[in-house]
Amino acid sequence: METALAKTPEKRQVVFLTMLLLLWEADSEAIRYSMPEETESGYLVANLAKDLGLRVGELATRGAQIHSKGNKELLQLDAETGNLFLKEKLDREVLCGVTDPCVLHFQLILENPVQFFRTDLQITDINDHAPEFPHREMLLKIPENVQPGTVFPLKAAQDSDIGNNAVQNYTVSPNLHFHVVTQSRADGRKYPELVLDRALDREEQPELTLTLTAVDGGSPPRSGTTIVRIEVVDINDNAPQFVQSLYEVQVPENSPLNALIVTVSARDLDAGMNGNVAYSLFQGGGVSQPFAIDEVTGEIRLSDELDFEVNSHYNIEITAMDGGGLSGKCTVSVQVLDVNDNAPELTIRKLTIPIPENSPETVVAVFSVSDSDSGDNGRMVCSVQNDLPFVLKPTFENYYTLVTEGPLDRESRAEYNITITATDMGIPRLTTQHTITVQVSDVNDNAPAFTQTSYTLFVQENNSPALHIGTISATDSDSGSNAHITYSLLPTHDPQLALFSLISINAENGQLFALRALDYEDLQAFEFHVGATDQGSPALSSQALVRVLVLDANDNAPFVLYPLQNASAPCTELLPRAAEPGYLVTKVVAVDRDSGQNAWLSFQLLKATEPGLFSVWAHNGEVRTSRLLSERDAPKHRLLLLVKDNGDPPRSASVTLHVLLVDGFSQPYLPLPEVSRDPAQDNDDLLTLYLVIALASVSSLFLLSVLLFVGVRLCRRARAASLGGCSLPEGHFPGHLVDVSRTGTLSQSYQYEVCLREDSGAGEFNFLKPMISNLLLQDAGREVKESPHCRDSFVFG
């Protein structure tokens, strides 16, 4: 029949017209729609966007979702158009049973912001079930002396439909003795009673067969039939009567099987077989009843489990029949009491994972709770752990949202296990728990941090190029690309420091390399800044100071400043023969470009013409006499000195000194006595001699010209003054001039001694010239022709 209704065009028109008359109620709590059962899937129920006053497409942008109790998806929402379609064919009897009206509750959940709308869909009944009797045949035993008007109750037909589509009327096939009356029970269901119209006569007709028809009120109506077979028995003039016409009992739903519900009792005044009463369950009422009765004792016991959530009330019709076929009836009203046997159900409707850190109050999850129990057993409370930064907020009926209390910090905690606990108020309390794992996603809110604020690196000079000199390191508390660090050199503010030609850095691991060899003598230390930048958006960075100290290596030999060592002019020092022991001949001055112990110099006498005559102080380079000079000592000495630093390995330089023994520094001619020469130095000494002679000659000529000029001027001035002459004690010139400072070398002042004799008419001119670069210029004596009257003596300083 349902298939024919769906396929024929006429039936489609009927359904279409019926759907145009769908009931739509709008109040502050719910939007209500109505539709008949057995409607084909894909049917357009309504346009939710229009009914809710939302724009087209707003349902899609706000993530609209339809949820129903039990998570059974009966409806389908097209979020783009707002149309609500039927996902599958609905059977009212399967969904609601005998409950009337049959209303399905749906929830529409919207995001941004979170909103809830309740939608009720009422399923109206159609006449798709025909009445059915529990048995194909019913047997009645009626005594022949039963008076007309006696009523005989019959078993009612069962019809799964409700309302007008349920059984509305009973009829019986035409006969001379009975008619049927349709009665209504308290719950509105109809049942038949057979009424005797004419007295029975067993001898005339011992048995009657009637057809009982049950007709529902549908359009078109449906019907079902059963056979009523009546046996006419002998006289039994007392029917059983129950002590109570109505028994009311309350039974907990968790009562065990075979539990005693109630005991019914009926009495019959007849004797013998006609007074024996047998009990039986009479009315099924269309609902399978989980009860059984003892036909002898009248004890009603539980034959199946009770479930308050399925059926909370039963009406049981009990019949007591005696041996003569007379019967009486009573009603047992069983009220099923709810016990807390259903734990709360928790259903997650929406879950947002992961949650960005530093976000303000954020909705993590939307969930609903339900409990099939009633009263306190169905009241629930929800909670989460107190030590977590999350709270529950009730929103709509039994819907809750799980939100953050404030911004989360991934670096403090990256994951939370949140246990939602739903507890009912029954006794004992039942609990359901659901655990949600919430990850906190990273935001680039931490700049890289160096392990040190400054780094000091040491590099030995003369290093090889591309030498790894150290590593800097930074850490980032973030994760992923936000924690990927890139290192770089930062520009320096010193324009004289070519940093990028000295240092390079590995951008991935922070290793520093010296690009070229460093020279301590040119650059002892330098500093620069390095940066560490993460890959976040926006990128964060920090910097640290790097100080590079160049360590000195002994790569420079000592350099002699005095006396200068060159091949053109050997260094000659004058030593008076009258010098005492410890006399300072000269001082060797040397420097070393290195530093520290590499620049600590020591002096050593390696070789001397006369061993034991001279000594060198190791720490200051002073060359002194060790004893008095004698006539046997050679006039010319050659000393070889070694200047050595304290490096490892040590470096050194040699110094050659020539010492000339003289009787006095004012001698006009100092012969150069022959000393044994080293054959390897003959050529150098000969060249040096030539240079000394040439220099002495030029200097002598110059000084002689100056003295002649001065003498002439003085004589002329003497004549003008009419002076007698220039007297001078007889005797020779002083033999020598001694440097009273005992430094062993002449000072930088010029000193001349001039004396003219009056009787000779000739003058001798002795002079000393300071030694430049410690070269000895030998004095030359010259005769100066002057007037015999000039006897003045002059000293020029």
Side-chain angles (χ1 to χ4, degrees), residues 234-251:
D234 285 340
I235 298 172
N236 181 22
D237 54 354
N238 289 290
Q241 290 188 0
F242 282 91
V243 177
Q244 296 176 226
S245 62
L246 177 64
Y247 292 83
E248 294 180 343
V249 293
Q250 293 180 337
V251 182

Side-chain angles (χ1 to χ4, degrees), residues 563-598:
L564 291 176
Q565 299 296 299
N566 54 64
S568 61
C571 176
T572 303
E573 299 289 344
L574 298 180
L575 175 64
R577 288 184 176 273
E580 297 180 358
Y583 178 84
L584 178 63
V585 178
T586 187
K587 182 176 183 179
V588 177
V589 180
V591 295
D592 195 316
R593 295 185 64 192
D594 296 321
S595 65
Q597 67 179 9
N598 295 331

Side-chain angles (χ1 to χ4, degrees), residues 31-97:
I31 300 175
R32 178 164 295 180
Y33 301 97
S34 178
M35 65 178 296
E37 66 174 333
E38 302 300 330
T39 302
E40 293 294 332
S41 61
Y43 180 79
L44 175 61
V45 178
N47 188 290
L48 280 182
K50 180 179 178 181
D51 294 341
L52 295 176
L54 301 176
R55 298 186 304 273
V56 175
E58 187 174 353
L59 292 178
T61 59
R62 294 183 62 183
Q65 299 180 24
I66 285 288
H67 297 283
S68 61
K69 185 175 181 180
N71 294 325
K72 187 173 183 181
E73 301 296 334
L74 302 177
L75 299 178
Q76 182 176 1
L77 175 64
D78 186 350
E80 296 294 336
T81 62
N83 290 331
L84 185 65
F85 297 95
L86 188 62
K87 192 172 183 180
E88 64 183 44
K89 184 185 294 186
L90 304 181
D91 189 347
R92 190 204 64 80
E93 285 73 26
V94 173
L95 294 174
C96 299

